[in-house]
Amino acid sequence: MRCAGQNVVVTGGSRGIGRAIVDAFAAEGARVMTCGRGARPDDLTETVGWVQADMANPADVERLRAETEVAFGPASVLVNNAGVQVEKSVTDSSDADWDLVIGANCRGVFNACRAFLPGMGEESMGGGAIVNIGSISGNAADPGMALYNASKAFVHGLTRSIAVDHGPAVRCNAVSPGWIMTGMADAAFALAGDPDAAKADALARHPVRRFGAPQDIAKAVLWLASDDAAFVTGQCFTVDGGLTAATPLQPGLF
Amino acid sequence: MTGRLEGKTAFVTGGAGGIGRAICTRFASEGARVVAADLAPWDDPPEGVRAVSYDVTSEDAARDAMERIATHWGQLDVLVNAAGIEIEHSIEETTLEAWNRIFAINVTGTFLTSKHALPLLRKSSAASVINFGSYDGFIADPGLAAYCATKGAVHALTRAMACDHGPEGIRVNAICPGYVDTPMLQSFFEGDGSGGGGGTIESLQKAVRDVHPTRTYGKPEDVANLALWLASDEARYASGQLWVLDGGLTAQVQQMRL
């Protein structure tokens, strides 16, 4: 059991990448607490704790911290996965869009780090680790996703700051997923004129010729949280099947 | 009006190529004295530009060229390492001979000319070296393996030179162009390229333009404008950097056909 003894908090664990991270930690023997804005999902593994919480709200985050402490003591691993996506340019974005995206993706990550960092990684517990979920869109722009792109660049920047300010007790890294087949990605294809053609085109741009699965991200997160990554901190790791290693020209053009 | 490079001397390798010509012309129009060095020298250079025959792979040629500059000018203010070639192959299709040739021109050429220019650059009050990287030094175009590798090497060399020679008053930067309308790009359009996707040259050109946020690819003059700034004293604080000039091409995540 690679994660035995770890006390893990994963935000946004109701579905998608977050759920895969929860399941991976639980399967490797960690005690896991997760949260979401809705009620506890019926299919969540029994041993995994659930707190209904909106990460944008500091009071909710404090409750998540307190309930984690009651359930199994201080967290040694924090995975900031909760996030939302709004598909708009700057001029199309409303104040409500700003509050939603920046609230969840930026303030939520900040809230959680501020709540969980004190005491994390003290000698009695061994080292602490924070793993943030960034995005390839934090490095280069996805069209029509202005606030989302910017929010993920914030996550990358905060990752480095935490690594610098809170080492050696805590290591902090980010995983930047590419196209992972979740509800979010399916919704993007559904918007296409010809969803099948769009999917085939997108596949052709992946050197590994498949899209990511939530489990691909979970494996990277598990590694970063483990002692195998003891010398790794302050970095953002792209896990995208090679998508952003290639130029953006259409495959088969030449 | 005084030019922005008034009184400066410049040596441009690949000076007869698409981008090299634009740089030489712009530098001369801003008052610099320019040597356009190329394997096949420019036959009708504009006023202020002197065309010479130059092989970037030859150390003797580098030594000889710098001796001449020492004799005529006594110092060198701007060195532009613009000579470069492209090979459109994956590594499996690349012969050792072709690999060595592209490295000799793109990497060793930059090394040799810079090495022998350094004593003259030190004599300048504000020297600037401009290397040519590429966006392909950051991310890969399919079927351009050796080219991508040479440009990555130039990027690292640029930073190393900036570190080593900054204290001597020499700034070193690299320009990393995306698609620029040059003879090299035309041969890329005309060649079988990396996938044999078919289509006319016009349809390829349109497709390439359309993938750029600016909906156009660059002109050699665009690159020359950046080179002018990097060569000038306005850029006195700019060093060790890789300046991507690509119409926004690499600012975007892959453009899916949605």
Side-chain angles (χ1 to χ4, degrees):
Chain A
M1 300 291 258
R2 291 168 55 201
C3 305
Q6 284 184 348
N7 292 345
V8 181
V9 173
V10 180
T11 70
S14 69
R15 58 199 160 93
I17 292 173
R19 173 62 73 82
I21 295 170
V22 165
D23 290 345
F25 274 111
E28 289 292 345
R31 290 178 290 262
V32 184
M33 175 69 82
T34 189
C35 65
R37 285 177 292 178
R40 180 188 176 98
D42 294 335
D43 57 348
L44 189 63
T45 308
E46 235 172 83
T47 53
V48 173
W50 176 266
V51 173
Q52 190 167 341
D54 176 357
M55 297 305 293
N57 180 349
D60 280 12
V61 175
E62 177 50 32
R63 200 160 38 75
L64 171 65
R65 190 202 61 77
E67 293 199 23
T68 302
E69 192 116 2
V70 169
F72 49 65
S76 55
V77 174
L78 168 66
V79 181
N80 284 303
N81 161 76
V84 296
Q85 170 177 327
V86 168
E87 287 160 14
K88 291 181 183 175
S89 70
V90 164
T91 47
D92 291 341
S93 297
S94 65
D95 289 349
D97 294 328
W98 168 275
D99 289 342
L100 177 67
V101 176
I102 304 303
N105 298 8
C106 300
R107 191 165 186 197
V109 176
F110 161 73
N111 283 340
C113 291
R114 188 173 55 173
F116 284 94
L117 268 168
M120 185 186 257
E122 278 175 4
E123 232 168 290
S124 59
M125 311 168 45
I130 296 178
V131 183
N132 295 323
I133 302 300
S135 173
I136 56 169
S137 314
N139 301 328
D142 260 322
M145 303 246 292
L147 290 174
Y148 179 82
N149 296 339
S151 75
K152 290 303 184 177
F154 169 92
V155 170
H156 299 172
L158 194 73
T159 298
R160 291 184 280 266
S161 295
I162 289 172
V164 168
D165 290 341
H166 299 282
V170 175
R171 295 182 299 102
C172 183
N173 294 285
V175 175
S176 301
W179 284 57
I180 307 298
M181 276 337 240
T182 64
M184 244 191 223
D186 280 333
F189 282 125
L191 292 173
D194 181 346
D196 288 341
K199 218 170 211 179
D201 178 70
L203 266 180
R205 291 163 198 275
H206 287 74
V208 297
R209 294 291 180 269
R210 67 172 177 90
F211 299 122
Q215 289 72 20
D216 290 314
I217 303 307
K219 285 172 188 164
V221 171
L222 239 64
W223 180 74
L224 285 169
S226 78
D227 287 342
D228 284 353
F231 196 55
V232 182
T233 192
Q235 296 300 312
C236 304
F237 294 92
T238 298
V239 180
D240 70 349
L243 178 67
T244 56
T247 59
L249 290 169
Q250 291 158 14
L253 190 61
F254 297 104
Chain B
M1 206 179 85
T2 314
R4 290 161 66 188
L5 298 181
E6 204 67 51
K8 287 190 189 286
T9 54
F11 188 81
V12 181
T13 75
I19 288 174
R21 276 182 196 225
I23 290 174
C24 291
T25 305
R26 192 70 215 272
F27 279 13
S29 77
E30 292 289 344
R33 286 170 293 172
V34 184
V35 171
D38 211 309
L39 212 47
W42 197 348
D43 48 18
D44 56 343
E47 200 186 328
V49 179
R50 213 180 133 201
V52 300
S53 171
Y54 185 72
D55 177 358
V56 293
T57 67
S58 158
E59 184 158 26
D60 287 342
R63 236 185 244 117
D64 184 52
M66 293 309 148
E67 265 170 32
R68 281 160 190 261
I69 289 175
T71 306
H72 286 99
W73 293 341
Q75 69 177 55
L76 184 64
D77 301 296
V78 183
L79 168 63
V80 181
N81 289 304
I85 61 164
E86 188 173 280
I87 299 175
E88 289 159 19
H89 290 313
S90 70
I91 64 161
E92 208 167 16
E93 301 154 340
T94 302
T95 63
L96 178 59
E97 191 187 6
W99 173 271
N100 287 338
R101 179 171 145 74
I102 193 169
F103 267 78
I105 293 169
N106 295 9
V107 184
T108 310
T110 299
F111 154 69
L112 283 177
T113 307
S114 302
K115 178 184 164 86
H116 291 284
L118 275 167
L120 290 170
L121 290 165
R122 282 194 195 97
K123 291 184 178 165
S124 164
S125 58
S128 173
V129 177
I130 301 167
N131 293 332
F132 269 82
S134 168
Y135 79 113
D136 273 329
F138 298 104
I139 52 179
D141 259 319
L144 280 175
Y147 180 77
C148 292
T150 63
K151 293 305 180 179
V154 169
H155 293 182
L157 183 64
T158 299
R159 294 196 190 97
M161 288 167 61
C163 288
D164 287 343
H165 304 292
E168 301 167 347
I170 301 168
R171 296 183 293 106
V172 185
N173 291 281
I175 296 178
C176 309
Y179 279 74
V180 179
D181 195 3
T182 61
M184 196 196 269
L185 181 62
Q186 287 311 316
S187 82
F188 185 63
F189 283 140
E190 286 158 14
D192 61 351
S194 43
T200 64
I201 289 177
E202 288 73 24
S203 72
L204 287 176
Q205 288 171 334
K206 181 180 184 311
V208 169
R209 278 197 300 271
D210 285 349
V211 82
H212 289 73
T214 52
R215 297 291 181 264
T216 180
Y217 43 82
K219 294 183 292 189
E221 290 74 20
D222 296 316
V223 180
N225 286 337
L226 177 55
L228 168 62
W229 182 74
L230 287 171
S232 78
D233 295 339
E234 286 175 38
R236 60 176 286 274
Y237 199 50
S239 192
Q241 293 301 309
L242 312 173
W243 300 81
V244 178
L245 188 71
D246 69 351
L249 181 67
T250 56
Q252 54 191 348
V253 172
Q254 294 252 344
Q255 254 201 355
M256 314 286 177
R257 264 178 283 188
L258 292 176

